[in-house]
Amino acid sequence: MNTQNTDVHTISPELPAMFDGMKLAAVATVLYIIVRCLNLKSPTAPPDLTYQDTPLNRFLLKSCPQLTKEYIPPLLWGKSGHLQTALYGKLGRVSSPHPSGVRKYLPMQDGATATFDLFEPVGDHRTGDDITMVICPGIGNHSEKHYIRTFVDYAQKDGYRCAVLNHLGALPNIELTSPRMFTYGCTWEFAAMVGYIKRTYPQTQLMVVGFSLGGNIVCKFLGENRTNQERVLCCVSVCQGYSALRAQETFLQWDQFRRFYNFLMADNMKKIILSHRHSLFGGSPVKRIDLDIGRLYTATSLMQIDDSIMRKFHGHSSLKEYYEKESCVHYIHNVNVPLLLVNSADDPLVHDSLLTIPRTLAAKKPNVIFSLTLHGGHLGFFEGAVLFPQPLTWMDKVIVGYANAMCQWEKQKPPCQSVPLSESSCAEEKS
């Protein structure tokens, strides 16, 4: 009788424990990556403030609590500057309202046509005064962007008239009337809008607000000419980079994925330029058009587009000259009205080295407050409990809160004090 030998394979008792350990290690690795990417261990904190101790600044910080209290972003994702920036870029805001405004058209001397949208206040201002916010959006943005609509609706309900510049060429349904579009620091269209507001509402006072690239434009506008500061109560700039020349090197670096953001913004600029190609290049020689368009198609960074297209709109001989002439860093020290500069430490677009500009300015000039939040990304600043953000952001609240405090100061300030406030003004008057 033959017996069949069979091999019996037994699993070592150590193997299941090893598999369980591998699963736990994989789960731990994933959780570690999530915690690191979402920055969950980062604490919440009030903004880091740089300012001189003056009566006006003390009053503003007391009257605008958003500047001194903790900014608390949504728990699960709000501490990631990338997610804050991405949510702003894709959605703009949550449950964005639709404020009703009137579009205005202003002919420029060079044949261009500037446009802005005018929104009247919904209710009376708390001080009873006529106050207009003149607003300059970010790169390639306009009054129809969700973050602008959300802010305008909030400001309207607080009694502010709002005038929002539409960057030249940014609105897809408005044709250009000259071979020129918006650039990094051209203030012509913003100046035309401000001039219109001053003429049409001779009693109104102005609050100047700029977002990202718009922050550069408004600070440059105020610093270019002292008369530009007349009837201006204050200025707020959010998430700007201050110096394009210094920023260009950081935009080619991969830390914080800045090079990737550079590519995305360049792609958006391509679309805007190509949508107006006939207006921008129609009068140029065919070979010149083919050369410029060819360089535009192959460009992978904003700097390449600026060098081949944008700088030529104003006749700059080089990219360096273009960035130097159009950056507010050379003008902002001339701004003497109260100035609030807001940035976020986790903004993936604005390198930390650029923040020495506002920090140094605030330490030297009594009219400047520099507020640096720990979180917020680029124009994000969402607030919320765990997952879902609130419709209004910290940014919306701090701008209106600062504006309200300035209006209140103007109403009750001592007769000898004027904006910008000097510590010595009262002493000089008393003597």
Side-chain angles (χ1 to χ4, degrees):
M1 181 177 171
N2 294 328
T3 60
Q4 186 176 0
N5 293 330
T6 59
D7 294 330
V8 177
H9 298 281
T10 61
I11 298 176
S12 172
E14 289 83 6
L15 286 178
M18 184 176 69
F19 289 143
D20 288 342
M22 292 174 64
K23 290 178 183 177
L24 287 173
V27 170
T29 301
V30 170
L31 288 176
Y32 174 77
I33 293 172
I34 292 174
V35 169
R36 285 296 301 270
C37 290
L38 298 183
N39 206 19
L40 294 177
K41 295 181 69 176
S42 177
T44 57
D48 180 39
L49 299 175
T50 306
Y51 63 97
Q52 289 191 21
D53 186 22
T54 66
L56 173 57
N57 287 341
R58 288 195 296 267
F59 179 85
L60 291 172
L61 295 179
K62 180 181 178 181
S63 303
C64 182
Q66 290 83 8
L67 287 172
T68 54
K69 290 185 177 180
E70 274 186 321
Y71 160 55
I72 303 178
L75 179 63
L76 290 183
W77 55 268
K79 295 178 180 179
S80 166
H82 296 292
L83 290 179
Q84 288 254 18
T85 303
L87 188 57
Y88 146 74
K90 284 296 181 183
L91 297 180
R93 290 295 179 260
V94 180
S95 303
S96 179
H98 295 270
S100 178
V102 178
R103 183 151 295 163
K104 301 290 184 179
Y105 297 81
L106 302 175
M108 308 290 290
Q109 290 184 353
D110 67 341
T113 303
T115 70
F116 71 95
D117 286 19
L118 187 63
F119 304 86
E120 292 295 336
V122 174
D124 293 333
H125 192 269
R126 63 186 63 198
T127 63
D129 294 328
D130 186 311
I131 311 291
T132 302
M133 287 193 174
V134 284
I135 302 165
C136 193
I139 183 171
N141 290 176
H142 44 74
S143 62
E144 297 175 10
K145 290 294 182 179
H146 288 198
Y147 77 100
I148 295 293
R149 284 170 22 195
T150 300
F151 175 71
V152 166
D153 180 74
Y154 181 49
Q156 272 185 304
K157 291 175 180 176
D158 236 46
Y160 293 95
R161 179 186 299 107
C162 294
V164 183
L165 181 69
N166 300 309
H167 284 300
L168 202 61
L171 282 169
N173 58 336
I174 301 293
E175 291 291 331
L176 293 175
T177 58
S178 76
R180 179 174 69 83
M181 59 180 287
F182 77 92
T183 58
Y184 178 68
C186 179
T187 60
W188 296 354
E189 292 81 45
F190 187 75
M193 180 179 76
V194 171
Y196 176 92
I197 294 297
K198 286 182 175 181
R199 291 191 304 271
T200 308
Y201 305 96
Q203 302 302 318
T204 196
Q205 299 275 61
L206 303 181
M207 301 277 186
V208 179
V209 181
F211 299 100
S212 191
L213 172 141
N216 177 72
I217 289 177
V218 300
C219 289
K220 181 172 178 281
F221 166 75
L222 291 175
E224 282 176 335
N225 195 317
R226 192 174 182 86
T227 59
N228 292 345
Q229 300 177 47
E230 293 175 358
R231 292 168 57 186
V232 173
L233 288 178
C234 64
C235 175
V236 181
S237 162
V238 185
C239 287
Q240 70 150 308
Y242 305 97
S243 172
L245 191 61
R246 298 191 202 179
Q248 67 167 336
E249 293 181 6
T250 70
F251 260 108
L252 295 175
Q253 299 168 359
W254 278 100
D255 66 300
Q256 294 295 313
F257 299 100
R258 201 170 293 105
R259 184 66 180 86
F260 178 67
Y261 286 107
N262 187 0
F263 173 80
L264 293 179
M265 289 190 292
D267 189 59
N268 186 55
M269 281 298 298
K270 283 185 192 180
K271 294 175 182 176
I272 296 175
I273 294 170
L274 290 173
S275 70
H276 296 290
R277 60 187 299 174
H278 297 296
S279 300
L280 293 173
F281 307 111
S284 301
V286 175
K287 289 185 178 180
R288 172 71 178 275
I289 295 174
D290 291 341
L291 181 62
D292 288 343
I293 295 297
R295 288 174 177 171
L296 180 63
Y297 275 119
T298 58
T300 59
S301 71
L302 284 175
M303 287 72 74
Q304 290 173 325
I305 294 175
D306 288 341
D307 194 23
S308 60
I309 305 290
M310 307 302 285
R311 68 173 175 84
K312 298 176 183 178
F313 292 142
H314 294 281
H316 295 296
S317 60
S318 66
L319 186 63
K320 180 181 179 181
E321 179 186 285
Y322 170 65
Y323 284 158
E324 283 184 338
K325 293 289 181 65
E326 302 227 342
S327 294
C328 76
V329 67
H330 303 297
Y331 302 88
I332 197 169
H333 60 277
N334 295 326
V335 179
N336 293 317
V337 298
L339 177 60
L340 175 63
L341 303 173
V342 178
N343 285 94
S344 170
D346 66 355
D347 186 336
L349 304 186
V350 180
H351 192 270
D352 180 65
S353 62
L354 299 172
L355 301 181
T356 58
I357 298 171
R359 189 176 288 114
T360 302
L361 187 74
K364 290 182 177 180
K365 289 182 68 71
N367 61 303
V368 182
I369 296 177
F370 174 50
S371 173
L372 181 65
T373 60
L374 197 58
H375 310 109
H378 190 77
L379 296 181
F381 298 103
F382 292 96
E383 290 184 307
V386 179
L387 181 61
F388 297 104
Q390 300 171 2
L392 280 178
T393 68
W394 178 89
M395 179 180 76
D396 302 318
K397 296 173 185 176
V398 79
I399 297 173
V400 172
Y402 179 83
N404 287 340
M406 272 305 311
C407 292
Q408 189 179 352
W409 169 264
E410 284 296 301
K411 273 291 185 183
Q412 65 182 48
K413 68 182 180 183
C416 62
Q417 291 177 340
S418 59
V419 175
L421 181 70
S422 169
E423 287 277 15
S424 60
S425 59
C426 286
E428 290 174 358
E429 188 165 313
K430 287 178 183 178
S431 62

Tab-separated table of all heavy atoms in Angstrom, residues 202-250:
chain	number	residue	atom	x	y	z
A	202	PRO	N	-18.273	115.317	-3.691
A	202	PRO	CA	-17.307	116.273	-3.119
A	202	PRO	C	-17.232	116.236	-1.597
A	202	PRO	O	-16.248	116.723	-1.030
A	202	PRO	CB	-17.814	117.627	-3.616
A	202	PRO	CG	-19.243	117.405	-3.983
A	202	PRO	CD	-19.336	115.998	-4.451
A	203	GLN	N	-18.215	115.628	-0.932
A	203	GLN	CA	-18.210	115.566	0.523
A	203	GLN	C	-17.636	114.252	1.063
A	203	GLN	O	-17.432	114.114	2.269
A	203	GLN	CB	-19.641	115.746	1.078
A	203	GLN	CG	-20.305	117.046	0.665
A	203	GLN	CD	-19.511	118.263	1.080
A	203	GLN	OE1	-18.987	118.324	2.201
A	203	GLN	NE2	-19.396	119.249	0.187
A	204	THR	N	-17.411	113.294	0.186
A	204	THR	CA	-17.004	111.974	0.668
A	204	THR	C	-15.540	111.943	1.089
A	204	THR	O	-14.701	112.673	0.547
A	204	THR	CB	-17.264	110.892	-0.406
A	204	THR	OG1	-17.220	109.599	0.214
A	204	THR	CG2	-16.222	110.941	-1.509
A	205	GLN	N	-15.258	111.103	2.067
A	205	GLN	CA	-13.895	110.767	2.470
A	205	GLN	C	-13.578	109.378	1.944
A	205	GLN	O	-14.479	108.548	1.781
A	205	GLN	CB	-13.754	110.786	3.995
A	205	GLN	CG	-14.040	112.139	4.627
A	205	GLN	CD	-12.822	113.043	4.614
A	205	GLN	OE1	-12.302	113.384	3.559
A	205	GLN	NE2	-12.371	113.441	5.785
A	206	LEU	N	-12.297	109.112	1.691
A	206	LEU	CA	-11.907	107.862	1.043
A	206	LEU	C	-11.187	106.909	1.984
A	206	LEU	O	-10.350	107.323	2.791
A	206	LEU	CB	-11.006	108.147	-0.163
A	206	LEU	CG	-11.561	109.068	-1.257
A	206	LEU	CD1	-10.533	109.203	-2.374
A	206	LEU	CD2	-12.875	108.564	-1.788
A	207	MET	N	-11.528	105.624	1.863
A	207	MET	CA	-10.769	104.526	2.450
A	207	MET	C	-10.184	103.738	1.279
A	207	MET	O	-10.928	103.246	0.435
A	207	MET	CB	-11.683	103.606	3.267
A	207	MET	CG	-12.406	104.282	4.396
A	207	MET	SD	-11.342	104.387	5.838
A	207	MET	CE	-12.509	105.050	7.044
A	208	VAL	N	-8.872	103.631	1.207
A	208	VAL	CA	-8.209	102.961	0.086
A	208	VAL	C	-7.898	101.519	0.483
A	208	VAL	O	-7.303	101.275	1.534
A	208	VAL	CB	-6.927	103.713	-0.305
A	208	VAL	CG1	-6.227	103.014	-1.459
A	208	VAL	CG2	-7.241	105.165	-0.676
A	209	VAL	N	-8.317	100.569	-0.372
A	209	VAL	CA	-8.127	99.145	-0.066
A	209	VAL	C	-7.515	98.450	-1.277
A	209	VAL	O	-7.988	98.614	-2.412
A	209	VAL	CB	-9.466	98.463	0.290
A	209	VAL	CG1	-9.241	96.980	0.621
A	209	VAL	CG2	-10.147	99.165	1.455
A	210	GLY	N	-6.457	97.660	-1.042
A	210	GLY	CA	-5.826	96.912	-2.123
A	210	GLY	C	-5.543	95.476	-1.723
A	210	GLY	O	-5.067	95.213	-0.617
A	211	PHE	N	-5.849	94.548	-2.635
A	211	PHE	CA	-5.615	93.125	-2.405
A	211	PHE	C	-4.494	92.624	-3.314
A	211	PHE	O	-4.563	92.799	-4.539
A	211	PHE	CB	-6.885	92.315	-2.676
A	211	PHE	CG	-8.053	92.671	-1.804
A	211	PHE	CD1	-9.057	93.504	-2.289
A	211	PHE	CD2	-8.152	92.194	-0.513
A	211	PHE	CE1	-10.145	93.834	-1.496
A	211	PHE	CE2	-9.234	92.527	0.294
A	211	PHE	CZ	-10.238	93.351	-0.201
A	212	SER	N	-3.458	92.004	-2.729
A	212	SER	CA	-2.360	91.401	-3.476
A	212	SER	C	-1.737	92.433	-4.424
A	212	SER	O	-1.268	93.474	-3.963
A	212	SER	CB	-2.877	90.166	-4.224
A	212	SER	OG	-1.821	89.418	-4.762
A	213	LEU	N	-1.750	92.198	-5.746
A	213	LEU	CA	-1.213	93.172	-6.683
A	213	LEU	C	-1.872	94.533	-6.496
A	213	LEU	O	-1.233	95.568	-6.641
A	213	LEU	CB	-1.409	92.671	-8.117
A	213	LEU	CG	-1.096	93.624	-9.270
A	213	LEU	CD1	-0.431	92.866	-10.420
A	213	LEU	CD2	-2.371	94.298	-9.783
A	214	GLY	N	-3.158	94.527	-6.152
A	214	GLY	CA	-3.864	95.779	-5.888
A	214	GLY	C	-3.283	96.543	-4.718
A	214	GLY	O	-3.326	97.779	-4.688
A	215	GLY	N	-2.726	95.831	-3.744
A	215	GLY	CA	-2.056	96.478	-2.618
A	215	GLY	C	-0.836	97.250	-3.075
A	215	GLY	O	-0.549	98.349	-2.575
A	216	ASN	N	-0.089	96.670	-4.016
A	216	ASN	CA	1.065	97.373	-4.579
A	216	ASN	C	0.623	98.640	-5.295
A	216	ASN	O	1.226	99.711	-5.137
A	216	ASN	CB	1.809	96.456	-5.556
A	216	ASN	CG	2.974	97.152	-6.238
A	216	ASN	OD1	4.009	97.420	-5.639
A	216	ASN	ND2	2.794	97.480	-7.518
A	217	ILE	N	-0.458	98.543	-6.079
A	217	ILE	CA	-0.926	99.682	-6.866
A	217	ILE	C	-1.406	100.820	-5.968
A	217	ILE	O	-1.050	101.989	-6.193
A	217	ILE	CB	-2.044	99.239	-7.836
A	217	ILE	CG1	-1.449	98.382	-8.956
A	217	ILE	CG2	-2.784	100.443	-8.417
A	217	ILE	CD1	-2.457	97.818	-9.927
A	218	VAL	N	-2.189	100.506	-4.917
A	218	VAL	CA	-2.736	101.593	-4.092
A	218	VAL	C	-1.646	102.275	-3.275
A	218	VAL	O	-1.667	103.500	-3.092
A	218	VAL	CB	-3.885	101.097	-3.177
A	218	VAL	CG1	-5.023	100.529	-4.008
A	218	VAL	CG2	-3.416	100.083	-2.143
A	219	CYS	N	-0.682	101.509	-2.770
A	219	CYS	CA	0.406	102.123	-1.996
A	219	CYS	C	1.301	102.961	-2.904
A	219	CYS	O	1.773	104.033	-2.504
A	219	CYS	CB	1.223	101.048	-1.278
A	219	CYS	SG	0.354	100.262	0.100
A	220	LYS	N	1.529	102.493	-4.113
A	220	LYS	CA	2.314	103.268	-5.081
A	220	LYS	C	1.566	104.544	-5.455
A	220	LYS	O	2.159	105.630	-5.539
A	220	LYS	CB	2.598	102.420	-6.315
A	220	LYS	CG	3.433	103.116	-7.392
A	220	LYS	CD	3.813	102.124	-8.483
A	220	LYS	CE	4.596	102.806	-9.598
A	220	LYS	NZ	3.714	103.540	-10.515
A	221	PHE	N	0.256	104.431	-5.688
A	221	PHE	CA	-0.570	105.587	-6.039
A	221	PHE	C	-0.497	106.666	-4.958
A	221	PHE	O	-0.270	107.847	-5.247
A	221	PHE	CB	-2.013	105.144	-6.247
A	221	PHE	CG	-3.012	106.267	-6.279
A	221	PHE	CD1	-3.123	107.089	-7.387
A	221	PHE	CD2	-3.843	106.503	-5.192
A	221	PHE	CE1	-4.041	108.139	-7.421
A	221	PHE	CE2	-4.757	107.546	-5.213
A	221	PHE	CZ	-4.856	108.367	-6.325
A	222	LEU	N	-0.653	106.282	-3.712
A	222	LEU	CA	-0.629	107.261	-2.616
A	222	LEU	C	0.753	107.892	-2.472
A	222	LEU	O	0.873	109.078	-2.132
A	222	LEU	CB	-1.045	106.598	-1.310
A	222	LEU	CG	-2.519	106.160	-1.197
A	222	LEU	CD1	-2.751	105.410	0.112
A	222	LEU	CD2	-3.461	107.352	-1.305
A	223	GLY	N	1.810	107.116	-2.711
A	223	GLY	CA	3.167	107.629	-2.534
A	223	GLY	C	3.707	108.399	-3.717
A	223	GLY	O	4.706	109.117	-3.586
A	224	GLU	N	3.064	108.290	-4.876
A	224	GLU	CA	3.559	108.970	-6.080
A	224	GLU	C	3.425	110.486	-5.981
A	224	GLU	O	4.274	111.231	-6.462
A	224	GLU	CB	2.778	108.475	-7.309
A	224	GLU	CG	3.222	107.127	-7.823
A	224	GLU	CD	2.362	106.646	-8.970
A	224	GLU	OE1	1.184	107.078	-9.083
A	224	GLU	OE2	2.860	105.836	-9.775
A	225	ASN	N	2.340	110.938	-5.360
A	225	ASN	CA	2.052	112.372	-5.305
A	225	ASN	C	1.295	112.679	-4.020
A	225	ASN	O	0.328	111.991	-3.682
A	225	ASN	CB	1.214	112.790	-6.522
A	225	ASN	CG	1.186	114.287	-6.723
A	225	ASN	OD1	1.039	115.051	-5.757
A	225	ASN	ND2	1.308	114.733	-7.961
A	226	ARG	N	1.731	113.705	-3.318
A	226	ARG	CA	1.104	114.034	-2.039
A	226	ARG	C	-0.371	114.397	-2.208
A	226	ARG	O	-1.188	114.138	-1.322
A	226	ARG	CB	1.849	115.196	-1.376
A	226	ARG	CG	1.472	115.425	0.076
A	226	ARG	CD	2.349	116.481	0.726
A	226	ARG	NE	2.018	116.659	2.128
A	226	ARG	CZ	2.506	115.934	3.105
A	226	ARG	NH1	3.365	114.964	2.828
A	226	ARG	NH2	2.168	116.158	4.369
A	227	THR	N	-0.733	114.969	-3.363
A	227	THR	CA	-2.140	115.328	-3.585
A	227	THR	C	-3.034	114.090	-3.677
A	227	THR	O	-4.248	114.185	-3.455
A	227	THR	CB	-2.290	116.159	-4.876
A	227	THR	OG1	-1.807	115.398	-5.991
A	227	THR	CG2	-1.500	117.454	-4.782
A	228	ASN	N	-2.456	112.944	-3.996
A	228	ASN	CA	-3.248	111.707	-4.045
A	228	ASN	C	-3.763	111.300	-2.672
A	228	ASN	O	-4.695	110.493	-2.574
A	228	ASN	CB	-2.421	110.567	-4.632
A	228	ASN	CG	-2.108	110.761	-6.101
A	228	ASN	OD1	-2.732	111.593	-6.765
A	228	ASN	ND2	-1.143	110.017	-6.618
A	229	GLN	N	-3.156	111.845	-1.608
A	229	GLN	CA	-3.570	111.493	-0.249
A	229	GLN	C	-4.647	112.430	0.301
A	229	GLN	O	-5.123	112.225	1.427
A	229	GLN	CB	-2.352	111.484	0.673
A	229	GLN	CG	-1.281	110.491	0.250
A	229	GLN	CD	-0.041	110.538	1.123
A	229	GLN	OE1	-0.123	110.542	2.349
A	229	GLN	NE2	1.132	110.569	0.494
A	230	GLU	N	-5.026	113.438	-0.483
A	230	GLU	CA	-6.057	114.367	-0.015
A	230	GLU	C	-7.402	113.663	0.086
A	230	GLU	O	-7.784	112.903	-0.803
A	230	GLU	CB	-6.161	115.554	-0.974
A	230	GLU	CG	-4.923	116.447	-0.965
A	230	GLU	CD	-4.988	117.554	-2.002
A	230	GLU	OE1	-5.988	117.603	-2.763
A	230	GLU	OE2	-4.045	118.368	-2.067
A	231	ARG	N	-8.103	113.913	1.194
A	231	ARG	CA	-9.409	113.323	1.503
A	231	ARG	C	-9.346	111.819	1.742
A	231	ARG	O	-10.370	111.131	1.762
A	231	ARG	CB	-10.431	113.652	0.399
A	231	ARG	CG	-10.785	115.141	0.357
A	231	ARG	CD	-11.551	115.520	-0.882
A	231	ARG	NE	-12.778	114.761	-1.051
A	231	ARG	CZ	-13.565	114.830	-2.134
A	231	ARG	NH1	-13.229	115.651	-3.132
A	231	ARG	NH2	-14.662	114.120	-2.232
A	232	VAL	N	-8.137	111.286	1.933
A	232	VAL	CA	-7.973	109.862	2.244
A	232	VAL	C	-7.825	109.698	3.753
A	232	VAL	O	-6.899	110.249	4.354
A	232	VAL	CB	-6.747	109.268	1.518
A	232	VAL	CG1	-6.487	107.837	1.984
A	232	VAL	CG2	-6.952	109.315	0.011
A	233	LEU	N	-8.734	108.940	4.355
A	233	LEU	CA	-8.665	108.701	5.801
A	233	LEU	C	-7.613	107.659	6.147
A	233	LEU	O	-6.915	107.774	7.151
A	233	LEU	CB	-10.028	108.251	6.325
A	233	LEU	CG	-11.134	109.311	6.389
A	233	LEU	CD1	-12.429	108.683	6.894
A	233	LEU	CD2	-10.721	110.457	7.297
A	234	CYS	N	-7.520	106.613	5.338
A	234	CYS	CA	-6.555	105.545	5.640
A	234	CYS	C	-6.430	104.631	4.435
A	234	CYS	O	-7.178	104.737	3.455
A	234	CYS	CB	-6.998	104.746	6.871
A	234	CYS	SG	-8.555	103.840	6.638
A	235	CYS	N	-5.488	103.707	4.531
A	235	CYS	CA	-5.254	102.722	3.471
A	235	CYS	C	-5.004	101.358	4.107
A	235	CYS	O	-4.332	101.257	5.133
A	235	CYS	CB	-4.060	103.137	2.619
A	235	CYS	SG	-3.577	101.920	1.365
A	236	VAL	N	-5.564	100.309	3.474
A	236	VAL	CA	-5.323	98.928	3.914
A	236	VAL	C	-4.817	98.125	2.726
A	236	VAL	O	-5.444	98.113	1.662
A	236	VAL	CB	-6.597	98.269	4.479
A	236	VAL	CG1	-6.284	96.847	4.953
A	236	VAL	CG2	-7.182	99.090	5.618
A	237	SER	N	-3.684	97.452	2.908
A	237	SER	CA	-3.107	96.585	1.880
A	237	SER	C	-3.024	95.165	2.432
A	237	SER	O	-2.540	94.955	3.549
A	237	SER	CB	-1.715	97.085	1.488
A	237	SER	OG	-0.980	96.067	0.832
A	238	VAL	N	-3.501	94.187	1.646
A	238	VAL	CA	-3.542	92.797	2.106
A	238	VAL	C	-2.783	91.890	1.134
A	238	VAL	O	-3.073	91.867	-0.067
A	238	VAL	CB	-5.001	92.292	2.235
A	238	VAL	CG1	-5.024	90.886	2.823
A	238	VAL	CG2	-5.835	93.236	3.096
A	239	CYS	N	-1.791	91.181	1.650
A	239	CYS	CA	-1.088	90.107	0.927
A	239	CYS	C	-0.311	90.569	-0.304
A	239	CYS	O	-0.191	89.832	-1.287
A	239	CYS	CB	-2.054	88.994	0.524
A	239	CYS	SG	-2.615	87.959	1.892
A	240	GLN	N	0.241	91.772	-0.285
A	240	GLN	CA	1.101	92.170	-1.386
A	240	GLN	C	2.558	91.799	-1.095
A	240	GLN	O	2.930	91.480	0.036
A	240	GLN	CB	0.984	93.670	-1.655
A	240	GLN	CG	1.586	94.576	-0.586
A	240	GLN	CD	2.090	95.889	-1.160
A	240	GLN	OE1	2.858	95.916	-2.110
A	240	GLN	NE2	1.652	96.997	-0.563
A	241	GLY	N	3.406	91.879	-2.140
A	241	GLY	CA	4.810	91.483	-1.996
A	241	GLY	C	5.792	92.632	-1.950
A	241	GLY	O	6.986	92.406	-1.754
A	242	TYR	N	5.324	93.872	-2.195
A	242	TYR	CA	6.090	95.103	-1.999
A	242	TYR	C	7.170	95.368	-3.050
A	242	TYR	O	7.377	96.502	-3.440
A	242	TYR	CB	6.702	95.148	-0.594
A	242	TYR	CG	5.679	94.968	0.491
A	242	TYR	CD1	5.467	93.715	1.063
A	242	TYR	CD2	4.883	96.028	0.908
A	242	TYR	CE1	4.499	93.534	2.050
A	242	TYR	CE2	3.899	95.858	1.882
A	242	TYR	CZ	3.723	94.600	2.453
A	242	TYR	OH	2.754	94.420	3.400
A	243	SER	N	7.896	94.349	-3.468
A	243	SER	CA	8.988	94.555	-4.430
A	243	SER	C	9.022	93.415	-5.437
A	243	SER	O	9.390	92.290	-5.093
A	243	SER	CB	10.342	94.655	-3.723
A	243	SER	OG	11.406	94.672	-4.660
A	244	ALA	N	8.645	93.710	-6.691
A	244	ALA	CA	8.675	92.671	-7.730
A	244	ALA	C	10.096	92.241	-8.040
A	244	ALA	O	10.346	91.086	-8.382
A	244	ALA	CB	7.989	93.196	-8.988
A	245	LEU	N	11.037	93.176	-7.930
A	245	LEU	CA	12.434	92.857	-8.223
A	245	LEU	C	12.978	91.829	-7.236
A	245	LEU	O	13.658	90.871	-7.626
A	245	LEU	CB	13.285	94.130	-8.192
A	245	LEU	CG	14.707	94.016	-8.729
A	245	LEU	CD1	14.686	93.616	-10.199
A	245	LEU	CD2	15.468	95.320	-8.530
A	246	ARG	N	12.677	92.014	-5.972
A	246	ARG	CA	13.119	91.038	-4.966
A	246	ARG	C	12.334	89.739	-5.073
A	246	ARG	O	12.849	88.651	-4.789
A	246	ARG	CB	12.969	91.618	-3.558
A	246	ARG	CG	13.811	92.851	-3.281
A	246	ARG	CD	13.789	93.169	-1.797
A	246	ARG	NE	14.118	94.568	-1.528
A	246	ARG	CZ	14.144	95.093	-0.328
A	246	ARG	NH1	13.861	94.351	0.733
A	246	ARG	NH2	14.450	96.381	-0.155
A	247	ALA	N	11.069	89.841	-5.461
A	247	ALA	CA	10.198	88.662	-5.496
A	247	ALA	C	10.518	87.725	-6.656
A	247	ALA	O	10.261	86.520	-6.568
A	247	ALA	CB	8.740	89.092	-5.567
A	248	GLN	N	11.094	88.252	-7.753
A	248	GLN	CA	11.262	87.424	-8.953
A	248	GLN	C	12.152	86.217	-8.693
A	248	GLN	O	11.889	85.116	-9.215
A	248	GLN	CB	11.801	88.261	-10.105
A	248	GLN	CG	13.215	88.783	-9.948
A	248	GLN	CD	13.776	89.336	-11.250
A	248	GLN	OE1	13.326	88.954	-12.330
A	248	GLN	NE2	14.741	90.240	-11.149
A	249	GLU	N	13.192	86.376	-7.879
A	249	GLU	CA	14.064	85.238	-7.585
A	249	GLU	C	13.330	84.185	-6.757
A	249	GLU	O	13.488	82.988	-6.992
A	249	GLU	CB	15.318	85.715	-6.849
A	249	GLU	CG	16.241	86.582	-7.684
A	249	GLU	CD	17.487	87.003	-6.918
A	249	GLU	OE1	17.654	86.517	-5.776
A	249	GLU	OE2	18.282	87.794	-7.448
A	250	THR	N	12.523	84.632	-5.803
A	250	THR	CA	11.803	83.677	-4.950
A	250	THR	C	10.743	82.921	-5.751
A	250	THR	O	10.411	81.789	-5.413
A	250	THR	CB	11.140	84.383	-3.758
A	250	THR	OG1	10.041	85.202	-4.206
A	250	THR	CG2	12.129	85.278	-3.033
